[in-house]
Amino acid sequence: MNEKVPNSVEIIDNHLDNFFDKNEDIVVFDEIESEIIHRDIFFIKAIQDRPYHILLSCGMSALPMNIPKDIESSEYVEIMILLPKEWNLEYHSFSDEKNYWPIRIMKEIMMSPHENKTWFGFGHTFGYGEDDEFAEGVGFNSVMLANSMELSDDFTQIQLENEKVVDIYTLIPLYKEEVEFKKKNGTDALLERFDKFEIEEIVNIGRKNVCK
């Protein structure tokens, strides 16, 4: 790794120590070669009391984002996605995009604001063309940044020594119809539909499309 490329390993590692035991099953998908920022993914394996895997980014918050002056949002952000315990996250499975797409999308989001001098915050979406699924048969073509429903504010907000905060947003996969609904009606209206149809934060391939 290029030592001149900043990363957030110490911040994220220390934060996780507050929530998980040393013997907890945590794996780091380490980026070998980095540009602008160093992008790691922490893989926190499901346990009986928490029946889902957590993928948490590490590195996006190493540099501040370019927040417009009239917007109240942290310039430091990390992202996570919650996957069902059955999801195959063994390294040898990553050649199959049906397994790997959450990691690929996370790494693209991590780099995007720093490459494009922009920012990500609550309600922002990231995706491809209207008909381009993340992987064949997945159905989703975008993700939305939202506040976690499964994990507490203590986990999703990291207080820094300079009184800044790293906000951790969860990624909610969306169908193209849901993206269009959000564009027309806003984030809160879409989240209300998720609540109405009891859509969980944990990724569920084949879940109901709330706008179709």
Side-chain angles (χ1 to χ4, degrees):
M1 186 185 76
N2 185 345
E3 293 183 357
K4 295 183 180 180
V5 175
N7 66 73
S8 305
V9 170
E10 185 175 356
I11 291 172
I12 300 301
D13 207 29
N14 290 340
H15 181 63
L16 293 180
D17 284 345
N18 296 323
F19 297 90
F20 304 101
D21 295 332
K22 291 292 184 181
N23 59 356
E24 196 100 31
D25 214 345
I26 300 178
V27 175
V28 180
F29 299 138
D30 187 24
E31 185 171 62
I32 304 303
E33 296 184 8
S34 303
E35 296 181 1
I36 303 179
I37 58 169
H38 180 67
R39 299 173 297 174
D40 291 336
I41 304 290
F42 279 69
F43 166 28
I44 305 161
K45 295 185 179 181
I47 58 174
Q48 185 173 354
D49 293 337
R50 191 189 64 250
Y52 53 83
H53 302 306
I54 303 171
L55 294 183
L56 173 64
S57 71
C58 175
M60 187 174 177
S61 63
L63 294 174
M65 297 182 297
N66 186 25
I67 308 291
K69 292 182 179 179
D70 59 338
I71 298 293
E72 289 189 12
S73 185
S74 176
E75 58 193 330
Y76 300 100
V77 160
E78 296 288 354
I79 53 176
M80 66 180 181
I81 193 166
L82 308 188
L83 300 175
K85 61 183 179 181
E86 298 81 13
W87 201 285
N88 191 344
L89 288 167
E90 297 298 328
Y91 185 77
H92 62 78
S93 75
F94 291 167
S95 59
D96 187 344
E97 276 293 310
K98 290 181 180 179
N99 297 319
Y100 185 69
W101 69 263
I103 296 173
R104 174 168 51 81
I105 295 303
M106 289 180 71
K107 298 192 82 165
E108 291 176 3
I109 293 174
M110 291 170 72
M111 184 62 75
S112 181
H114 304 301
E115 275 188 324
N116 301 309
K117 301 187 185 306
T118 185
W119 65 289
F120 278 107
F122 175 78
H124 284 184
T125 55
F126 178 90
Y128 300 148
E130 184 176 293
D131 296 316
D132 293 334
E133 299 175 289
F134 288 146
E136 185 178 354
V138 168
F140 305 121
N141 78 335
S142 300
V143 291
M144 179 175 69
L145 278 69
N147 297 323
S148 179
M149 297 169 277
E150 293 284 340
L151 299 168
S152 69
D153 291 347
D154 288 344
F155 184 82
T156 59
Q157 293 184 330
I158 306 174
Q159 300 292 329
L160 301 177
E161 292 181 356
N162 59 2
E163 297 185 357
K164 300 282 188 177
V165 175
V166 177
D167 283 331
I168 301 174
Y169 291 104
T170 194
L171 300 182
I172 307 294
L174 304 180
Y175 296 108
K176 64 180 181 180
E177 293 85 1
E178 294 170 343
V179 176
E180 289 303 315
F181 178 88
K182 175 190 169 295
K183 288 178 180 178
K184 294 178 182 178
N185 301 282
T187 300
D188 290 340
L190 180 57
L191 290 174
E192 286 176 6
R193 287 212 172 190
F194 284 160
D195 187 53
K196 176 182 177 180
F197 291 103
E198 299 182 342
I199 303 300
E200 294 184 338
E201 178 181 349
I202 303 162
V203 175
N204 179 9
I205 301 299
R207 71 160 172 82
K208 178 179 176 57
N209 184 334
V210 302
C211 298
K212 189 176 180 179

